[in-house]
Amino acid sequence: MSEVDKVFELISKEGVEVVDLRFMDFPGLWQHLSVPVRELTKESFDQGFGIDGSSIRGWQAINESDMLVKPVAETAFIDPFLQAKTLVLICNICDPITGEDYTRDPRNIARKAANYVKQIGVSDTAYFGPEAEFFIFDDIRFDQNAHEGYYHIDSKEGQWNSGRVEEPNLGYKPRYKEGYFPVPPMDSLQDIRSEMMLILESIGVEVEAQHHEVATGGQAEIDIRFAPLVQCADNLLKYKYVVKNTARKHNKTVTFMPKPLFNDNGSGMHVHMSLWKNGKNLFAGDGYAGLSETALYAIGGILKHAGSLLAFTNPTTNSYKRLVPGFEAPVNLAYSRRNRSAAVRIPMYSPSPKAKRLEFRCPDPSSNPYLAFSAILMAAIDGIMNKMDPGEPLDKDIYDLPPEELAKVPQTPGSLREALERLKEDHDYLLRGDVFTSDVIETWIDYKMTHEVQELDLRPHPWEFALYYDI
């Protein structure tokens, strides 16, 4: 039975009434439109559905607005939240005149990256496994206008509420930086995370573990099982959707913003990666930490291009509030086994060659997963193709290094502006195989600079009043 036939069998079995067509905008948010189930035919998978591309962030000009969304049959799942029985189909974006895949469609970029490594013969499968962290809050208020700018976060778990009158306040609020792994009642969000985990499993996203994270105020992590690049990015979008909507059902709110709380740990998204060919893990070998020469070259590529990579893996101004020393964030571009303060870590949980992989610890969950995973893969491939030596590993505690030794360790960019400047200078490796196009790179830099970096630069910060009001 074909994948398309399976979709119509699922529609019949589940009594589907609505088909929801989902796709990714350029910066990284899921978009959708819905049609009655009768509008979906077998021809729909080739002909697609029309949308206005000029209304999607970072896409077409208004005089070239018509685009097609083409559903991908193998992505089908039943939405676990909507009242009407709804079938979800993730879509690719195409030009209605030429029929070609749209170059600014993030999913298209990921598909091209996955195909590129096959075409050049390096690997037939690139596996990715993200560990996305997030916060579950009870209330969030924020505004910025001509005469005021503020945000107010609240969480029943927040250490800042240890003295609040709650009638009764039962205590058990995780201390700052002490939220990692306490059992209930200190961990008050176990049931919600378990519900998130089970819903993910029910729609085909395999989960490896869920737990409370380090920060106070409801920080959490759910680890999904590794998968090939495009499928993994699809799964991460399902993950965000499930996590946000499960929280909303409980009158709570989730954010994947990297650094919502001052002076506590931010939310990262450590990305595990390995390359396979003919059923063999190309990263397993007899070198450092059980790595192959291929794996070490891949690390060399990631470390060399890390400055420009971060424009995609850490793509918000807030991302660089997390990438500061003292909060377990990997600001030093080095590699190591076990050492979690290194940008690239080689996990040592299992001696099995099948488990050998590298973990890039810089990324955060604000990233567009299609673009982030593709950029990481292209950097790794560049390292392999050009046999880039990653240098010596750094197995010491980086944060305890003497200043003269620390000065020799390269640093991550200190701001989104700096990362975008690095991308402007260093992006040839992304253009290989037409995976990222020059238009995509230029549009990304322009969009981020215009809509985020420059907009933030225009606005006074509350702390500036504390510093400068009495000047």
Side-chain angles (χ1 to χ4, degrees), residues 276-426:
W276 289 63
K277 189 173 183 179
N278 299 326
K280 179 183 177 182
N281 185 358
L282 301 180
F283 280 7
D286 56 6
Y288 174 80
L291 294 177
S292 66
E293 193 174 52
T294 297
L296 289 168
Y297 289 150
I299 292 171
I302 288 171
L303 292 178
K304 178 183 177 180
H305 296 299
S308 58
L309 261 183
L310 264 61
F312 289 110
T313 63
N314 302 73
T316 68
T317 59
N318 185 254
S319 297
Y320 299 86
K321 304 291 195 297
R322 166 183 167 258
L323 288 177
V324 295
F327 296 90
E328 298 185 19
V331 296
N332 298 288
L333 297 176
Y335 73 102
S336 173
R337 59 186 168 198
R338 305 181 69 180
N339 192 339
R340 294 172 186 268
S341 58
V344 176
R345 188 176 74 94
I346 298 89
M348 302 298 290
Y349 298 122
S350 170
S352 170
K354 292 183 177 181
K356 193 55 61 179
R357 61 197 186 274
L358 64 84
E359 176 190 12
F360 187 34
R361 295 178 62 81
C362 294
D364 69 55
S366 69
S367 59
N368 181 327
Y370 296 117
L371 301 183
F373 297 165
S374 299
I376 294 169
L377 178 60
M378 295 302 287
I381 292 300
D382 191 49
I384 293 168
M385 298 293 285
N386 291 289
K387 298 184 177 180
M388 293 180 183
D389 185 352
E392 292 298 315
L394 191 55
D395 289 327
K396 303 175 185 177
D397 185 342
I398 294 174
Y399 298 123
D400 285 340
L401 288 180
E404 62 275 9
E405 197 171 342
L406 184 61
K408 298 176 183 177
V409 181
Q411 304 279 301
T412 57
S415 67
L416 179 58
R417 181 191 296 276
E418 184 182 342
L420 293 170
E421 291 294 338
R422 299 278 284 275
L423 178 61
K424 191 183 297 184
E425 299 165 359
D426 175 30

Side-chain angles (χ1 to χ4, degrees), residues 124 150 453:
D124 53 38
Y150 66 88
V453 174

Side-chain angles (χ1 to χ4, degrees), residues 37-111:
V37 69
R38 70 170 182 274
E39 292 295 314
L40 185 75
T41 65
K42 289 188 176 181
E43 291 70 30
S44 300
F45 292 89
D46 291 320
Q47 297 174 358
F49 296 83
I51 62 167
D52 175 7
S54 68
S55 298
I56 307 300
R57 296 183 302 168
W59 277 16
Q60 295 287 71
I62 197 166
N63 61 317
E64 301 174 317
S65 59
D66 290 348
M67 302 294 291
L68 291 176
V69 296
K70 289 188 177 182
V72 180
E74 55 265 33
T75 66
F77 68 95
I78 301 298
D79 190 286
F81 300 102
L82 300 178
Q83 185 173 345
K85 182 68 78 168
T86 300
L87 177 79
V88 177
L89 288 165
I90 299 175
C91 300
N92 296 324
I93 309 300
C94 300
D95 186 292
I97 298 175
T98 66
E100 294 178 349
D101 293 323
Y102 184 41
T103 56
R104 293 188 196 173
D105 172 18
R107 195 171 192 273
N108 179 36
I109 293 169
R111 289 159 61 211

Side-chain angles (χ1 to χ4, degrees), residues 108-184:
N108 179 36
I109 293 169
R111 289 159 61 211
K112 288 192 291 183
N115 287 331
Y116 175 66
V117 294
K118 295 178 184 178
Q119 291 167 3
I120 62 176
V122 170
S123 161
D124 53 38
T125 310
Y127 284 110
F128 283 79
E131 300 176 356
E133 299 166 349
F134 55 93
F135 280 87
I136 305 172
F137 293 138
D138 291 293
D139 187 64
I140 175 69
R141 293 181 288 114
F142 51 88
D143 198 7
Q144 177 86 60
N145 52 53
H147 72 282
E148 62 182 357
Y150 66 88
Y151 65 90
H152 179 84
I153 295 169
D154 207 6
S155 166
K156 293 176 182 176
E157 267 204 359
Q159 177 64 26
W160 59 86
N161 282 324
S162 60
R164 184 171 67 176
V165 177
E166 294 180 347
E167 298 181 339
N169 184 328
L170 300 177
Y172 297 117
K173 302 181 191 298
R175 288 177 285 272
Y176 296 107
K177 297 190 181 185
E178 294 187 23
Y180 201 55
F181 283 12
V183 298

Side-chain angles (χ1 to χ4, degrees), residues 137-277:
F137 293 138
D138 291 293
D139 187 64
I140 175 69
R141 293 181 288 114
F142 51 88
D143 198 7
Q144 177 86 60
N145 52 53
H147 72 282
E148 62 182 357
Y150 66 88
Y151 65 90
H152 179 84
I153 295 169
D154 207 6
S155 166
K156 293 176 182 176
E157 267 204 359
Q159 177 64 26
W160 59 86
N161 282 324
S162 60
R164 184 171 67 176
V165 177
E166 294 180 347
E167 298 181 339
N169 184 328
L170 300 177
Y172 297 117
K173 302 181 191 298
R175 288 177 285 272
Y176 296 107
K177 297 190 181 185
E178 294 187 23
Y180 201 55
F181 283 12
V183 298
M186 185 70 81
D187 178 4
S188 67
L189 300 169
Q190 168 70 10
D191 287 338
I192 291 179
R193 292 195 312 274
S194 289
E195 185 176 345
M196 293 169 176
M197 176 177 69
L198 294 175
I199 292 174
L200 283 167
E201 290 269 334
S202 75
I203 63 170
V205 179
E206 293 184 79
V207 174
E208 294 188 336
Q210 63 90 351
H211 58 84
H212 203 290
E213 256 300 334
V214 173
T216 190
Q219 193 180 29
E221 180 179 315
I222 300 175
D223 299 333
I224 58 177
R225 187 169 176 80
F226 66 89
L229 191 157
V230 178
Q231 182 186 345
C232 185
D234 288 344
N235 286 345
L236 192 57
L237 298 185
K238 297 176 187 177
Y239 172 101
K240 286 188 171 185
Y241 180 75
V242 166
V243 165
K244 289 178 180 179
N245 281 281
T246 305
R248 183 179 178 86
K249 189 170 77 171
H250 291 274
N251 205 31
K252 295 181 183 291
T253 179
V254 157
T255 183
F256 287 91
M257 187 175 172
K259 188 76 169 183
L261 296 182
F262 167 64
N263 218 26
D264 207 338
N265 283 38
S267 294
M269 185 178 72
H270 307 146
V271 177
H272 297 251
M273 186 189 80
S274 61
L275 297 177
W276 289 63
K277 189 173 183 179

Side-chain angles (χ1 to χ4, degrees), residues 429-442:
Y429 68 99
L430 297 170
L431 302 179
R432 296 200 177 95
D434 199 37
V435 174
F436 288 76
T437 63
S438 294
D439 171 70
V440 165
I441 300 293
E442 291 164 7

